[in-house]
Amino acid sequence: MTQDTVSPAPASPIDKPNTMRAVKDKLATVAVYTAFLIAVIPLVWILYTVISKGAGALLNPEWWTNSQRGITARTVGGGAYHAIIGTLIQAAITAVIAVPIGVFTAIYLVEYGRGKLARAVSFMVDILTGVPSIVAALFIYTLWVTTFGFERVAFAVCLALVLLMIPVVVRSTEEMLKLVPNELREASYALGVPKWKTIMKVVLPTAFSGIVTGVLLGLARVMGETAPLLILGPPSKAINMNPFEGFMAALPTMINGERDQVVQAAYDRYWGAALTLIILVMALNIAGRLISRFNKVSR
């Protein structure tokens, strides 16, 4: 009895080795890693420079408890307590004003916005995104000081920072809301839940972590702005917790003020202020991640 021989199936073109494809894959991998290293090197360099030159000031307990009142450029010592408090107060006021406006604007654009009004709002948000900080500061100066005759105070700085923070919050929140599956909305509507309650109970909690990230990105931007502070709130070396009266210190203006001095004492202080600002921004990002971890719909 003869046994039929089964001939092997022809190899698929996909299974055949392709030298050119392998070469392209290796080249793409090398290009990606090279781009990553090029992007990381300046970041590591900056962090190393700031930490190595500013850590000495932060290790002094007086840095966190004292202000610069009575400290001259050549005097060693003093702290950044006044600037830290001023930065936190201004950031908090800015967030209180900008976050509700930004989130509600994003909700309108995603959930309700149709027609010419929505397009006009989206266009204005795009314009605000590209506005330089000095233009926002000059606009608030014209409105607050020239038109209404008010004094230059920290609250005016916050108004300028609001203009810079709103578009960041709007765009980031808008993208997060678009990522929420429509099936969740439709399931809620099918149960007879009103649209406003669906947004509050389903859509916003689902996108909460992304919204928090956008808010923190906006805060990170405004906390480092200098132009509104120089134009609307000149620096101060004393502690001032009233945003409606007198000048209020901030870390960016402290860095800028000490930078003009060419002595070692001032040199140490402005690097210390720069490191303090980086630490504050990093702490905000860590806090945002922790908050988002405990606010999941799946709980």
Side-chain angles (χ1 to χ4, degrees), residues 82-130:
H82 62 307
I84 296 172
I85 293 298
T87 298
L88 294 178
I89 290 175
Q90 292 174 19
I93 295 174
T94 302
V96 167
I97 300 173
V99 171
I101 296 175
V103 171
F104 287 142
T105 302
I107 292 174
Y108 168 74
L109 291 175
V110 175
E111 304 292 340
Y112 296 97
R114 300 293 184 274
K116 294 182 179 180
L117 180 59
R119 289 194 295 270
V121 172
S122 181
F123 178 69
M124 295 305 297
V125 172
D126 290 337
I127 291 177
L128 281 177
T129 303

mmCIF file of all heavy atoms in Angstrom, residues 82-130:
data_model
loop_
_atom_site.group_PDB
_atom_site.id
_atom_site.type_symbol
_atom_site.label_atom_id
_atom_site.label_comp_id
_atom_site.label_asym_id
_atom_site.label_seq_id
_atom_site.Cartn_x
_atom_site.Cartn_y
_atom_site.Cartn_z
ATOM 1 N N HIS A 82 7.996 84.101 53.075
ATOM 2 C CA HIS A 82 7.088 85.100 52.528
ATOM 3 C C HIS A 82 6.747 84.812 51.072
ATOM 4 O O HIS A 82 5.597 84.970 50.642
ATOM 5 C CB HIS A 82 7.709 86.491 52.650
ATOM 6 C CG HIS A 82 8.984 86.652 51.876
ATOM 7 N ND1 HIS A 82 10.065 85.789 51.995
ATOM 8 C CD2 HIS A 82 9.349 87.576 50.938
ATOM 9 C CE1 HIS A 82 11.027 86.175 51.201
ATOM 10 N NE2 HIS A 82 10.628 87.250 50.538
ATOM 11 N N ALA A 83 7.753 84.359 50.302
ATOM 12 C CA ALA A 83 7.528 84.064 48.890
ATOM 13 C C ALA A 83 6.718 82.786 48.706
ATOM 14 O O ALA A 83 5.873 82.690 47.805
ATOM 15 C CB ALA A 83 8.863 83.952 48.171
ATOM 16 N N ILE A 84 6.970 81.791 49.552
ATOM 17 C CA ILE A 84 6.208 80.538 49.467
ATOM 18 C C ILE A 84 4.740 80.788 49.768
ATOM 19 O O ILE A 84 3.845 80.327 49.040
ATOM 20 C CB ILE A 84 6.805 79.495 50.431
ATOM 21 C CG1 ILE A 84 8.237 79.140 50.022
ATOM 22 C CG2 ILE A 84 5.929 78.254 50.477
ATOM 23 C CD1 ILE A 84 8.958 78.262 51.022
ATOM 24 N N ILE A 85 4.485 81.531 50.850
ATOM 25 C CA ILE A 85 3.102 81.836 51.221
ATOM 26 C C ILE A 85 2.426 82.657 50.122
ATOM 27 O O ILE A 85 1.274 82.393 49.741
ATOM 28 C CB ILE A 85 3.064 82.605 52.557
ATOM 29 C CG1 ILE A 85 3.532 81.690 53.696
ATOM 30 C CG2 ILE A 85 1.657 83.114 52.850
ATOM 31 C CD1 ILE A 85 2.668 80.472 53.923
ATOM 32 N N GLY A 86 3.133 83.632 49.582
ATOM 33 C CA GLY A 86 2.548 84.445 48.517
ATOM 34 C C GLY A 86 2.221 83.633 47.279
ATOM 35 O O GLY A 86 1.150 83.794 46.670
ATOM 36 N N THR A 87 3.125 82.734 46.884
ATOM 37 C CA THR A 87 2.876 81.888 45.716
ATOM 38 C C THR A 87 1.675 80.989 45.931
ATOM 39 O O THR A 87 0.826 80.831 45.041
ATOM 40 C CB THR A 87 4.125 81.032 45.410
ATOM 41 O OG1 THR A 87 5.220 81.901 45.098
ATOM 42 C CG2 THR A 87 3.873 80.106 44.235
ATOM 43 N N LEU A 88 1.566 80.387 47.112
ATOM 44 C CA LEU A 88 0.443 79.493 47.400
ATOM 45 C C LEU A 88 -0.882 80.249 47.445
ATOM 46 O O LEU A 88 -1.909 79.759 46.942
ATOM 47 C CB LEU A 88 0.687 78.764 48.723
ATOM 48 C CG LEU A 88 1.862 77.772 48.744
ATOM 49 C CD1 LEU A 88 2.020 77.170 50.125
ATOM 50 C CD2 LEU A 88 1.641 76.679 47.708
ATOM 51 N N ILE A 89 -0.880 81.440 48.031
ATOM 52 C CA ILE A 89 -2.114 82.224 48.096
ATOM 53 C C ILE A 89 -2.570 82.628 46.695
ATOM 54 O O ILE A 89 -3.751 82.498 46.347
ATOM 55 C CB ILE A 89 -1.902 83.471 48.986
ATOM 56 C CG1 ILE A 89 -1.756 83.060 50.454
ATOM 57 C CG2 ILE A 89 -3.082 84.449 48.835
ATOM 58 C CD1 ILE A 89 -1.425 84.212 51.379
ATOM 59 N N GLN A 90 -1.652 83.105 45.890
ATOM 60 C CA GLN A 90 -2.011 83.515 44.534
ATOM 61 C C GLN A 90 -2.473 82.323 43.694
ATOM 62 O O GLN A 90 -3.423 82.430 42.907
ATOM 63 C CB GLN A 90 -0.819 84.208 43.879
ATOM 64 C CG GLN A 90 -0.479 85.545 44.510
ATOM 65 C CD GLN A 90 0.790 86.157 43.941
ATOM 66 O OE1 GLN A 90 1.233 85.786 42.861
ATOM 67 N NE2 GLN A 90 1.382 87.097 44.673
ATOM 68 N N ALA A 91 -1.807 81.176 43.852
ATOM 69 C CA ALA A 91 -2.224 79.981 43.110
ATOM 70 C C ALA A 91 -3.602 79.524 43.544
ATOM 71 O O ALA A 91 -4.424 79.114 42.709
ATOM 72 C CB ALA A 91 -1.199 78.867 43.313
ATOM 73 N N ALA A 92 -3.890 79.592 44.848
ATOM 74 C CA ALA A 92 -5.193 79.163 45.338
ATOM 75 C C ALA A 92 -6.309 80.072 44.827
ATOM 76 O O ALA A 92 -7.364 79.587 44.375
ATOM 77 C CB ALA A 92 -5.189 79.150 46.870
ATOM 78 N N ILE A 93 -6.092 81.387 44.877
ATOM 79 C CA ILE A 93 -7.110 82.320 44.379
ATOM 80 C C ILE A 93 -7.326 82.123 42.881
ATOM 81 O O ILE A 93 -8.467 82.117 42.392
ATOM 82 C CB ILE A 93 -6.692 83.771 44.689
ATOM 83 C CG1 ILE A 93 -6.670 83.999 46.197
ATOM 84 C CG2 ILE A 93 -7.649 84.759 44.022
ATOM 85 C CD1 ILE A 93 -6.129 85.360 46.601
ATOM 86 N N THR A 94 -6.240 81.951 42.158
ATOM 87 C CA THR A 94 -6.348 81.727 40.710
ATOM 88 C C THR A 94 -7.135 80.465 40.409
ATOM 89 O O THR A 94 -8.005 80.453 39.525
ATOM 90 C CB THR A 94 -4.947 81.630 40.087
ATOM 91 O OG1 THR A 94 -4.221 82.825 40.365
ATOM 92 C CG2 THR A 94 -5.039 81.432 38.583
ATOM 93 N N ALA A 95 -6.850 79.391 41.141
ATOM 94 C CA ALA A 95 -7.560 78.133 40.912
ATOM 95 C C ALA A 95 -9.029 78.243 41.262
ATOM 96 O O ALA A 95 -9.890 77.694 40.550
ATOM 97 C CB ALA A 95 -6.898 77.015 41.718
ATOM 98 N N VAL A 96 -9.350 78.929 42.349
ATOM 99 C CA VAL A 96 -10.753 79.079 42.760
ATOM 100 C C VAL A 96 -11.562 79.780 41.676
ATOM 101 O O VAL A 96 -12.743 79.460 41.441
ATOM 102 C CB VAL A 96 -10.828 79.848 44.096
ATOM 103 C CG1 VAL A 96 -12.258 80.298 44.391
ATOM 104 C CG2 VAL A 96 -10.324 78.964 45.233
ATOM 105 N N ILE A 97 -10.951 80.726 40.986
ATOM 106 C CA ILE A 97 -11.662 81.453 39.931
ATOM 107 C C ILE A 97 -11.620 80.696 38.602
ATOM 108 O O ILE A 97 -12.635 80.570 37.906
ATOM 109 C CB ILE A 97 -11.062 82.863 39.746
ATOM 110 C CG1 ILE A 97 -11.168 83.662 41.042
ATOM 111 C CG2 ILE A 97 -11.763 83.607 38.611
ATOM 112 C CD1 ILE A 97 -10.466 85.000 41.008
ATOM 113 N N ALA A 98 -10.459 80.168 38.239
ATOM 114 C CA ALA A 98 -10.270 79.611 36.891
ATOM 115 C C ALA A 98 -10.851 78.215 36.735
ATOM 116 O O ALA A 98 -11.384 77.891 35.661
ATOM 117 C CB ALA A 98 -8.786 79.591 36.544
ATOM 118 N N VAL A 99 -10.767 77.376 37.762
ATOM 119 C CA VAL A 99 -11.201 75.981 37.607
ATOM 120 C C VAL A 99 -12.700 75.874 37.333
ATOM 121 O O VAL A 99 -13.099 75.181 36.382
ATOM 122 C CB VAL A 99 -10.784 75.152 38.840
ATOM 123 C CG1 VAL A 99 -11.409 73.765 38.787
ATOM 124 C CG2 VAL A 99 -9.267 75.039 38.899
ATOM 125 N N PRO A 100 -13.584 76.507 38.106
ATOM 126 C CA PRO A 100 -15.009 76.404 37.761
ATOM 127 C C PRO A 100 -15.325 76.939 36.366
ATOM 128 O O PRO A 100 -16.098 76.318 35.623
ATOM 129 C CB PRO A 100 -15.700 77.238 38.849
ATOM 130 C CG PRO A 100 -14.735 77.281 39.974
ATOM 131 C CD PRO A 100 -13.387 77.281 39.347
ATOM 132 N N ILE A 101 -14.734 78.080 36.015
ATOM 133 C CA ILE A 101 -14.990 78.641 34.681
ATOM 134 C C ILE A 101 -14.506 77.677 33.602
ATOM 135 O O ILE A 101 -15.215 77.403 32.614
ATOM 136 C CB ILE A 101 -14.303 80.011 34.532
ATOM 137 C CG1 ILE A 101 -14.904 81.012 35.519
ATOM 138 C CG2 ILE A 101 -14.438 80.529 33.105
ATOM 139 C CD1 ILE A 101 -14.196 82.356 35.532
ATOM 140 N N GLY A 102 -13.305 77.141 33.760
ATOM 141 C CA GLY A 102 -12.750 76.237 32.766
ATOM 142 C C GLY A 102 -13.530 74.938 32.638
ATOM 143 O O GLY A 102 -13.816 74.473 31.530
ATOM 144 N N VAL A 103 -13.904 74.340 33.774
ATOM 145 C CA VAL A 103 -14.630 73.066 33.741
ATOM 146 C C VAL A 103 -16.029 73.254 33.158
ATOM 147 O O VAL A 103 -16.469 72.469 32.300
ATOM 148 C CB VAL A 103 -14.706 72.457 35.151
ATOM 149 C CG1 VAL A 103 -15.638 71.246 35.168
ATOM 150 C CG2 VAL A 103 -13.310 72.058 35.631
ATOM 151 N N PHE A 104 -16.749 74.300 33.579
ATOM 152 C CA PHE A 104 -18.093 74.530 33.058
ATOM 153 C C PHE A 104 -18.066 74.873 31.566
ATOM 154 O O PHE A 104 -18.957 74.481 30.817
ATOM 155 C CB PHE A 104 -18.785 75.645 33.839
ATOM 156 C CG PHE A 104 -19.210 75.230 35.218
ATOM 157 C CD1 PHE A 104 -19.113 76.110 36.282
ATOM 158 C CD2 PHE A 104 -19.698 73.960 35.446
ATOM 159 C CE1 PHE A 104 -19.498 75.721 37.558
ATOM 160 C CE2 PHE A 104 -20.094 73.570 36.720
ATOM 161 C CZ PHE A 104 -19.989 74.443 37.787
ATOM 162 N N THR A 105 -17.029 75.596 31.139
ATOM 163 C CA THR A 105 -16.898 75.893 29.709
ATOM 164 C C THR A 105 -16.678 74.613 28.916
ATOM 165 O O THR A 105 -17.265 74.414 27.839
ATOM 166 C CB THR A 105 -15.742 76.873 29.467
ATOM 167 O OG1 THR A 105 -15.973 78.077 30.205
ATOM 168 C CG2 THR A 105 -15.611 77.206 27.994
ATOM 169 N N ALA A 106 -15.831 73.727 29.431
ATOM 170 C CA ALA A 106 -15.582 72.453 28.751
ATOM 171 C C ALA A 106 -16.851 71.597 28.712
ATOM 172 O O ALA A 106 -17.137 70.952 27.691
ATOM 173 C CB ALA A 106 -14.453 71.702 29.450
ATOM 174 N N ILE A 107 -17.601 71.582 29.800
ATOM 175 C CA ILE A 107 -18.864 70.828 29.816
ATOM 176 C C ILE A 107 -19.822 71.371 28.768
ATOM 177 O O ILE A 107 -20.488 70.616 28.044
ATOM 178 C CB ILE A 107 -19.498 70.880 31.225
ATOM 179 C CG1 ILE A 107 -18.644 70.090 32.215
ATOM 180 C CG2 ILE A 107 -20.924 70.335 31.194
ATOM 181 C CD1 ILE A 107 -19.115 70.217 33.647
ATOM 182 N N TYR A 108 -19.893 72.682 28.658
ATOM 183 C CA TYR A 108 -20.780 73.279 27.646
ATOM 184 C C TYR A 108 -20.346 72.882 26.237
ATOM 185 O O TYR A 108 -21.184 72.500 25.405
ATOM 186 C CB TYR A 108 -20.772 74.800 27.786
ATOM 187 C CG TYR A 108 -21.414 75.495 26.604
ATOM 188 C CD1 TYR A 108 -22.792 75.497 26.438
ATOM 189 C CD2 TYR A 108 -20.625 76.124 25.632
ATOM 190 C CE1 TYR A 108 -23.380 76.122 25.330
ATOM 191 C CE2 TYR A 108 -21.198 76.737 24.540
ATOM 192 C CZ TYR A 108 -22.575 76.730 24.403
ATOM 193 O OH TYR A 108 -23.148 77.328 23.307
ATOM 194 N N LEU A 109 -19.047 72.952 25.966
ATOM 195 C CA LEU A 109 -18.570 72.654 24.619
ATOM 196 C C LEU A 109 -18.794 71.190 24.243
ATOM 197 O O LEU A 109 -19.106 70.880 23.087
ATOM 198 C CB LEU A 109 -17.084 72.993 24.504
ATOM 199 C CG LEU A 109 -16.729 74.481 24.559
ATOM 200 C CD1 LEU A 109 -15.212 74.662 24.558
ATOM 201 C CD2 LEU A 109 -17.348 75.241 23.399
ATOM 202 N N VAL A 110 -18.645 70.276 25.204
ATOM 203 C CA VAL A 110 -18.758 68.849 24.902
ATOM 204 C C VAL A 110 -20.205 68.363 24.971
ATOM 205 O O VAL A 110 -20.651 67.617 24.088
ATOM 206 C CB VAL A 110 -17.874 68.028 25.871
ATOM 207 C CG1 VAL A 110 -18.069 66.532 25.651
ATOM 208 C CG2 VAL A 110 -16.411 68.398 25.689
ATOM 209 N N GLU A 111 -20.937 68.788 25.980
ATOM 210 C CA GLU A 111 -22.257 68.210 26.223
ATOM 211 C C GLU A 111 -23.403 69.028 25.638
ATOM 212 O O GLU A 111 -24.443 68.468 25.283
ATOM 213 C CB GLU A 111 -22.480 68.064 27.736
ATOM 214 C CG GLU A 111 -21.407 67.254 28.453
ATOM 215 C CD GLU A 111 -21.436 65.784 28.068
ATOM 216 O OE1 GLU A 111 -22.484 65.325 27.570
ATOM 217 O OE2 GLU A 111 -20.409 65.106 28.261
ATOM 218 N N TYR A 112 -23.239 70.334 25.532
ATOM 219 C CA TYR A 112 -24.345 71.182 25.096
ATOM 220 C C TYR A 112 -24.027 72.003 23.854
ATOM 221 O O TYR A 112 -24.947 72.398 23.125
ATOM 222 C CB TYR A 112 -24.745 72.152 26.217
ATOM 223 C CG TYR A 112 -25.274 71.483 27.457
ATOM 224 C CD1 TYR A 112 -24.437 71.239 28.547
ATOM 225 C CD2 TYR A 112 -26.607 71.101 27.556
ATOM 226 C CE1 TYR A 112 -24.912 70.629 29.692
ATOM 227 C CE2 TYR A 112 -27.096 70.490 28.708
ATOM 228 C CZ TYR A 112 -26.243 70.264 29.769
ATOM 229 O OH TYR A 112 -26.723 69.663 30.906
ATOM 230 N N GLY A 113 -22.751 72.329 23.649
ATOM 231 C CA GLY A 113 -22.384 73.316 22.644
ATOM 232 C C GLY A 113 -22.689 72.894 21.219
ATOM 233 O O GLY A 113 -22.184 71.871 20.749
ATOM 234 N N ARG A 114 -23.511 73.665 20.552
ATOM 235 C CA ARG A 114 -23.827 73.452 19.144
ATOM 236 C C ARG A 114 -23.985 74.826 18.492
ATOM 237 O O ARG A 114 -24.416 75.776 19.122
ATOM 238 C CB ARG A 114 -25.126 72.658 18.961
ATOM 239 C CG ARG A 114 -25.141 71.270 19.582
ATOM 240 C CD ARG A 114 -24.175 70.321 18.887
ATOM 241 N NE ARG A 114 -24.286 68.968 19.443
ATOM 242 C CZ ARG A 114 -23.625 68.556 20.500
ATOM 243 N NH1 ARG A 114 -22.810 69.386 21.152
ATOM 244 N NH2 ARG A 114 -23.757 67.318 20.932
ATOM 245 N N GLY A 115 -23.639 74.922 17.242
ATOM 246 C CA GLY A 115 -23.910 76.142 16.508
ATOM 247 C C GLY A 115 -22.841 77.195 16.658
ATOM 248 O O GLY A 115 -21.700 76.954 17.066
ATOM 249 N N LYS A 116 -23.236 78.438 16.347
ATOM 250 C CA LYS A 116 -22.291 79.551 16.273
ATOM 251 C C LYS A 116 -21.712 79.916 17.634
ATOM 252 O O LYS A 116 -20.539 80.275 17.733
ATOM 253 C CB LYS A 116 -22.983 80.764 15.654
ATOM 254 C CG LYS A 116 -23.391 80.572 14.193
ATOM 255 C CD LYS A 116 -24.027 81.833 13.644
ATOM 256 C CE LYS A 116 -24.418 81.652 12.173
ATOM 257 N NZ LYS A 116 -25.058 82.878 11.616
ATOM 258 N N LEU A 117 -22.543 79.855 18.683
ATOM 259 C CA LEU A 117 -22.042 80.235 20.004
ATOM 260 C C LEU A 117 -20.933 79.303 20.459
ATOM 261 O O LEU A 117 -19.900 79.755 20.977
ATOM 262 C CB LEU A 117 -23.176 80.231 21.019
ATOM 263 C CG LEU A 117 -22.794 80.615 22.458
ATOM 264 C CD1 LEU A 117 -22.188 82.008 22.496
ATOM 265 C CD2 LEU A 117 -24.001 80.513 23.382
ATOM 266 N N ALA A 118 -21.095 78.008 20.255
ATOM 267 C CA ALA A 118 -20.053 77.050 20.651
ATOM 268 C C ALA A 118 -18.780 77.271 19.856
ATOM 269 O O ALA A 118 -17.672 77.203 20.405
ATOM 270 C CB ALA A 118 -20.565 75.629 20.464
ATOM 271 N N ARG A 119 -18.914 77.539 18.569
ATOM 272 C CA ARG A 119 -17.733 77.800 17.754
ATOM 273 C C ARG A 119 -17.033 79.075 18.195
ATOM 274 O O ARG A 119 -15.798 79.152 18.199
ATOM 275 C CB ARG A 119 -18.124 77.886 16.277
ATOM 276 C CG ARG A 119 -18.522 76.548 15.656
ATOM 277 C CD ARG A 119 -18.558 76.631 14.139
ATOM 278 N NE ARG A 119 -19.602 77.538 13.670
ATOM 279 C CZ ARG A 119 -20.844 77.169 13.408
ATOM 280 N NH1 ARG A 119 -21.220 75.900 13.577
ATOM 281 N NH2 ARG A 119 -21.729 78.044 12.962
ATOM 282 N N ALA A 120 -17.815 80.098 18.572
ATOM 283 C CA ALA A 120 -17.217 81.347 19.040
ATOM 284 C C ALA A 120 -16.470 81.135 20.357
ATOM 285 O O ALA A 120 -15.358 81.649 20.550
ATOM 286 C CB ALA A 120 -18.300 82.411 19.205
ATOM 287 N N VAL A 121 -17.065 80.352 21.271
ATOM 288 C CA VAL A 121 -16.408 80.072 22.547
ATOM 289 C C VAL A 121 -15.120 79.294 22.327
ATOM 290 O O VAL A 121 -14.070 79.606 22.916
ATOM 291 C CB VAL A 121 -17.360 79.292 23.481
ATOM 292 C CG1 VAL A 121 -16.625 78.829 24.733
ATOM 293 C CG2 VAL A 121 -18.550 80.155 23.874
ATOM 294 N N SER A 122 -15.169 78.274 21.477
ATOM 295 C CA SER A 122 -13.974 77.483 21.186
ATOM 296 C C SER A 122 -12.891 78.351 20.547
ATOM 297 O O SER A 122 -11.696 78.209 20.859
ATOM 298 C CB SER A 122 -14.342 76.319 20.268
ATOM 299 O OG SER A 122 -13.215 75.520 19.991
ATOM 300 N N PHE A 123 -13.292 79.260 19.672
ATOM 301 C CA PHE A 123 -12.326 80.156 19.028
ATOM 302 C C PHE A 123 -11.667 81.073 20.053
ATOM 303 O O PHE A 123 -10.451 81.302 20.015
ATOM 304 C CB PHE A 123 -13.028 80.968 17.952
ATOM 305 C CG PHE A 123 -12.149 81.962 17.252
ATOM 306 C CD1 PHE A 123 -11.135 81.546 16.400
ATOM 307 C CD2 PHE A 123 -12.321 83.327 17.452
ATOM 308 C CE1 PHE A 123 -10.312 82.456 15.764
ATOM 309 C CE2 PHE A 123 -11.504 84.246 16.827
ATOM 310 C CZ PHE A 123 -10.492 83.813 15.975
ATOM 311 N N MET A 124 -12.444 81.607 20.988
ATOM 312 C CA MET A 124 -11.876 82.486 22.008
ATOM 313 C C MET A 124 -10.927 81.734 22.934
ATOM 314 O O MET A 124 -9.907 82.275 23.373
ATOM 315 C CB MET A 124 -13.006 83.131 22.823
ATOM 316 C CG MET A 124 -13.897 84.063 22.020
ATOM 317 S SD MET A 124 -12.976 85.369 21.171
ATOM 318 C CE MET A 124 -12.290 86.245 22.569
ATOM 319 N N VAL A 125 -11.249 80.464 23.230
ATOM 320 C CA VAL A 125 -10.341 79.658 24.049
ATOM 321 C C VAL A 125 -9.019 79.449 23.324
ATOM 322 O O VAL A 125 -7.936 79.518 23.923
ATOM 323 C CB VAL A 125 -10.990 78.307 24.401
ATOM 324 C CG1 VAL A 125 -9.984 77.374 25.076
ATOM 325 C CG2 VAL A 125 -12.188 78.520 25.319
ATOM 326 N N ASP A 126 -9.090 79.214 22.013
ATOM 327 C CA ASP A 126 -7.855 79.066 21.226
ATOM 328 C C ASP A 126 -7.028 80.347 21.257
ATOM 329 O O ASP A 126 -5.790 80.296 21.326
ATOM 330 C CB ASP A 126 -8.197 78.707 19.777
ATOM 331 C CG ASP A 126 -8.739 77.300 19.653
ATOM 332 O OD1 ASP A 126 -8.451 76.476 20.546
ATOM 333 O OD2 ASP A 126 -9.469 77.024 18.681
ATOM 334 N N ILE A 127 -7.692 81.486 21.204
ATOM 335 C CA ILE A 127 -6.966 82.759 21.260
ATOM 336 C C ILE A 127 -6.286 82.929 22.613
ATOM 337 O O ILE A 127 -5.117 83.313 22.701
ATOM 338 C CB ILE A 127 -7.923 83.932 20.976
ATOM 339 C CG1 ILE A 127 -8.378 83.905 19.509
ATOM 340 C CG2 ILE A 127 -7.250 85.262 21.285
ATOM 341 C CD1 ILE A 127 -9.373 84.978 19.156
ATOM 342 N N LEU A 128 -7.009 82.623 23.692
ATOM 343 C CA LEU A 128 -6.428 82.756 25.032
ATOM 344 C C LEU A 128 -5.237 81.822 25.221
ATOM 345 O O LEU A 128 -4.301 82.142 25.960
ATOM 346 C CB LEU A 128 -7.483 82.463 26.098
ATOM 347 C CG LEU A 128 -8.474 83.580 26.419
ATOM 348 C CD1 LEU A 128 -9.500 83.104 27.439
ATOM 349 C CD2 LEU A 128 -7.738 84.798 26.957
ATOM 350 N N THR A 129 -5.276 80.668 24.559
ATOM 351 C CA THR A 129 -4.180 79.718 24.694
ATOM 352 C C THR A 129 -2.858 80.312 24.225
ATOM 353 O O THR A 129 -1.794 80.040 24.793
ATOM 354 C CB THR A 129 -4.482 78.436 23.900
ATOM 355 O OG1 THR A 129 -5.721 77.882 24.363
ATOM 356 C CG2 THR A 129 -3.382 77.413 24.070
ATOM 357 N N GLY A 130 -2.907 81.147 23.197
ATOM 358 C CA GLY A 130 -1.683 81.720 22.648
ATOM 359 C C GLY A 130 -1.333 83.102 23.161
ATOM 360 O O GLY A 130 -0.377 83.705 22.675
#
